[in-house]
Amino acid sequence: GLVLESKCTKCLPGKLCPTPGLNNQDNLQDCPAGSYCSSGNQIPCPLGSYCEEATAMPTGCSPGTYGNATGLQTQSECKTCDPGKYCPKVGGIWSDQVDCLQGYFCDGTQQVTNGSSSSDPNFGSSNGAEYYCETGHFCPPGSKESVNCVDGTYQNAENQGTCDPCPAGFECRNTEGTVEPETCTAGHYCPGGVRQNCPAGTYRNNYGTINSTDCNPCLAGFYCPNEETVYPTLECDAGYYCDSGA
């Protein structure tokens, strides 16, 4: 028999030696899932990691996920990165999440960091492009989805954090976000990117009108009862006369 305790063999990695007097490897127990055993002792799996059965060392939750509880047993128990965040680290915890960069959106599946710059095409996934903020939209920091440019604004470039104001004389109105301003149509005026009707009693047969004062008074001998008239076509009825602007 052995004389010194130092001559005993250390418990194998991933195994548990719970009782004194063990005399062969057949009596060793697999380390329980949710714990790791590096020297025969059972240690709870730490934050940011998971420990399958017979684990000698914890395995970090993969990028795109984080572990915010101890004792996780499988990768599937790691939480998906929160929307508006990305999780670049192996073995990350909740506080390791990073706000999605301006010009991108993060739906919770991003797995890698942005690399050396915010224009890195590999940001977020194996191809990256699916997470670019597309034209007609904007993505401020921490975006979980792209946002349509509102009426009166547009964006004709990808990866932008804001939309640009529509120039005067143009219209920017699209339920899916305006990519390029459109010239204000006849019968209307567009002071700030939003189309307005020329009022009754006026007409406008030109494009790109900016102000309501640029709508022309209805021609003498005609009347313009409707808004957004392009050109007078209704002659004044017999027995009446129509001044300009009628």
Side-chain angles (χ1 to χ4, degrees):
L2 300 179
V3 176
L4 300 175
E5 184 178 359
S6 61
K7 299 298 183 178
C8 294
T9 302
K10 289 185 177 180
C11 200
L12 297 178
K15 298 292 184 178
L16 183 62
C17 299
T19 59
L22 296 177
N23 55 18
N24 61 66
Q25 294 185 14
D26 294 337
N27 295 325
L28 305 184
Q29 300 176 15
D30 285 337
C31 195
S35 303
Y36 69 99
C37 302
S38 60
S39 58
N41 297 316
Q42 182 178 345
I43 305 170
C45 206
L47 295 175
S49 301
Y50 64 94
C51 300
E52 298 178 339
E53 187 178 32
T55 293
M57 292 297 294
T59 302
C61 291
S62 64
T65 66
Y66 66 90
N68 221 40
T70 59
L72 301 185
Q73 299 180 15
T74 63
Q75 169 65 47
S76 63
E77 293 181 313
C78 299
K79 292 184 177 295
T80 302
C81 199
D82 296 349
K85 308 279 188 179
Y86 68 98
C87 300
K89 289 182 62 175
V90 175
I93 60 176
W94 180 85
S95 59
D96 291 321
Q97 297 182 105
V98 182
D99 279 342
C100 199
L101 299 176
Q102 177 173 294
Y104 297 87
F105 68 94
C106 299
D107 61 5
T109 63
Q110 272 72 3
Q111 296 184 358
V112 297
T113 184
N114 64 309
S116 59
S117 71
S118 60
S119 60
D120 185 348
N122 293 318
F123 173 79
S125 71
S126 58
N127 61 14
E130 64 190 274
Y131 300 121
Y132 283 176
C133 201
E134 62 268 36
T135 57
H137 299 75
F138 69 102
C139 298
S143 293
K144 62 182 179 181
E145 59 187 4
S146 59
V147 183
N148 292 344
C149 290
V150 299
D151 286 354
T153 66
Y154 76 102
Q155 185 51 258
N156 58 8
E158 294 181 333
N159 301 103
Q160 301 302 307
T162 60
C163 295
D164 298 323
C166 200
F170 289 80
E171 177 186 6
C172 297
R173 184 175 62 176
N174 189 318
T175 57
E176 297 181 357
T178 298
V179 176
E180 294 288 354
E182 296 181 358
T183 304
C184 197
T185 55
H188 304 89
Y189 63 99
C190 301
V194 179
R195 187 178 67 188
Q196 307 287 337
N197 296 338
C198 283
T202 68
Y203 75 97
R204 186 67 182 177
N205 60 344
N206 297 108
Y207 289 79
T209 301
I210 298 174
N211 299 310
S212 60
T213 54
D214 295 324
C215 297
N216 303 312
C218 197
L219 297 175
F222 292 83
Y223 65 104
C224 302
N226 301 316
E227 295 182 352
E228 58 186 326
T229 296
V230 175
Y231 197 82
T233 58
L234 299 174
E235 293 183 337
C236 197
D237 293 337
Y240 299 87
Y241 70 91
C242 300
D243 290 331
S244 175

